[in-house]
Amino acid sequence: MMKLAVIGAAGRMGQSLVRAIDEIDGVELTAAIERAGSAHISHDAGQLAGTGPNGILISDDLENSLSAVDGILDFTTPAVTVAAAKIAAARAIVHIIGTTGCSTEEEDAIAGYAKSATIMKSGNMSLGVNLLGELVKQAAKSLDASGFDIEVLEMHHKHKVDAPSGTALLLGQKAAEGRSVDLEKVSVRTRDGYTGPREDGKIGFATLRGGSVVGEHSVIFAGAGERIELSHIAMDRSIFATGAVKAALWARDKKPGLYSMLDVLGLA
């Protein structure tokens, strides 16, 4: 039985992770962590998630809560994720990261900790999105930059704090790989005022926020007289939680390193 900890256990995604652990064979919830000052400290994680009391009380002590676990499920904030990765490295355990919005420095720190921990990091844990990424890469490779413009459109619920989403950036990166370009040099994140005509070869991002949308992503290849759209709609965040738990089981016997969902799905 793989012992797992959920960081951010009181949030929407954290509760989904607790439910997924309850439903999937081979794993058990051993620790549930929240930020200091959370109103949910000392609450039963299972009761909060709707699976029934399980005796795992939510704690704000990250260091001690992770002392007896085999793996960490982490969809939180960059600062918390880096701190958890440091602990995972010190204890040589699995760290599944769904956190988005990390800076270059934070990404580098996580990569450094992956020398000692088995870290699987992905902007999206679903099978559909990762397959979509491979289709986007192939389409970008096949459709010349002078003939087709690429735009990535995403929408999420109004509580999401980072933009573009991690999934949008994942898809943009796949498009950039298809065209053998550096995404940082060709991405356009904002447009406002008199912007002038669109430059060939740029990859644009558009962000929508509102309501309770779980996640919708489209990559648009717009040419003269035709348009190709590749899309994914997430209707329930349980798909991400299930993917994360299955990723933890996959990673359990893997050597330390930095992996992605493509590795988990055998698509790398």
Side-chain angles (χ1 to χ4, degrees):
M1 189 69 70
M2 188 176 188
K3 297 178 180 180
L4 296 178
V6 173
I7 307 180
R12 284 185 293 274
M13 192 63 216
Q15 291 181 44
S16 290
L17 289 166
V18 171
R19 289 191 290 271
I21 292 170
D22 185 66
E23 294 168 359
I24 296 174
D25 292 336
V27 292
E28 64 179 2
L29 183 68
T30 304
I33 302 110
E34 260 298 337
R35 58 181 173 78
S38 169
H40 299 289
I41 300 300
S42 296
H43 286 205
D44 186 286
Q47 188 168 22
L48 183 63
T51 62
N54 58 16
I56 304 300
L57 302 184
I58 297 175
S59 170
D60 60 2
D61 188 341
L62 184 66
E63 182 81 31
N64 288 327
S65 294
L66 300 180
S67 62
V69 303
D70 302 311
I72 305 165
L73 304 181
D74 176 8
F75 288 67
T76 56
T77 64
V80 172
T81 293
V82 171
K86 182 178 181 180
I87 296 171
R91 294 176 180 162
I93 59 176
V94 170
H95 189 187
I96 306 301
I97 301 174
T99 302
T100 58
C102 294
S103 67
T104 300
E105 291 75 14
E106 289 160 338
E107 294 283 7
D108 289 343
I110 292 168
Y113 291 130
K115 295 176 182 177
S116 301
T118 304
I119 297 179
M120 199 292 292
K121 186 177 186 299
S122 178
N124 194 294
M125 301 286 177
S126 85
L127 170 63
V129 163
N130 284 279
L131 287 174
L132 175 62
E134 294 305 296
L135 294 173
V136 167
K137 180 178 178 178
Q138 184 60 47
K141 183 178 180 180
S142 301
L143 302 173
D144 187 79
S146 63
F148 284 86
D149 301 316
I150 301 176
E151 293 286 314
V152 182
L153 173 65
E154 58 106 337
M155 183 170 185
H156 283 83
H157 54 85
K158 65 181 181 181
H159 301 290
K160 188 167 178 60
V161 298
D162 60 308
S165 70
T167 302
L169 293 173
L170 180 154
L171 295 172
Q173 181 59 43
K174 287 297 181 181
E177 289 174 11
R179 288 188 171 171
S180 300
V181 295
D182 183 344
L183 180 62
E184 289 300 316
K185 294 180 179 179
V186 300
S187 67
V188 176
R189 305 292 181 86
T190 59
R191 295 188 179 102
D192 185 37
Y194 186 79
T195 62
R198 190 187 195 284
E199 294 181 44
D200 287 345
K202 294 295 185 180
I203 297 176
F205 291 83
T207 297
L208 305 178
R209 293 287 179 268
S212 58
V213 176
V214 174
E216 299 182 6
H217 296 84
S218 294
V219 181
I220 301 167
F221 295 85
E226 60 180 334
R227 186 171 73 242
I228 300 167
E229 296 187 16
L230 300 174
S231 301
H232 179 271
I233 298 174
M235 295 174 282
D236 190 321
R237 59 177 45 86
S238 65
I239 63 172
F240 311 128
T242 298
V245 174
K246 290 184 176 180
L249 286 167
W250 173 89
R252 188 176 189 180
D253 60 354
K254 300 299 184 294
K255 295 179 180 180
L258 184 59
Y259 300 92
S260 74
M261 274 302 286
L262 294 180
D263 295 299
V264 177
L265 297 170
L267 297 174

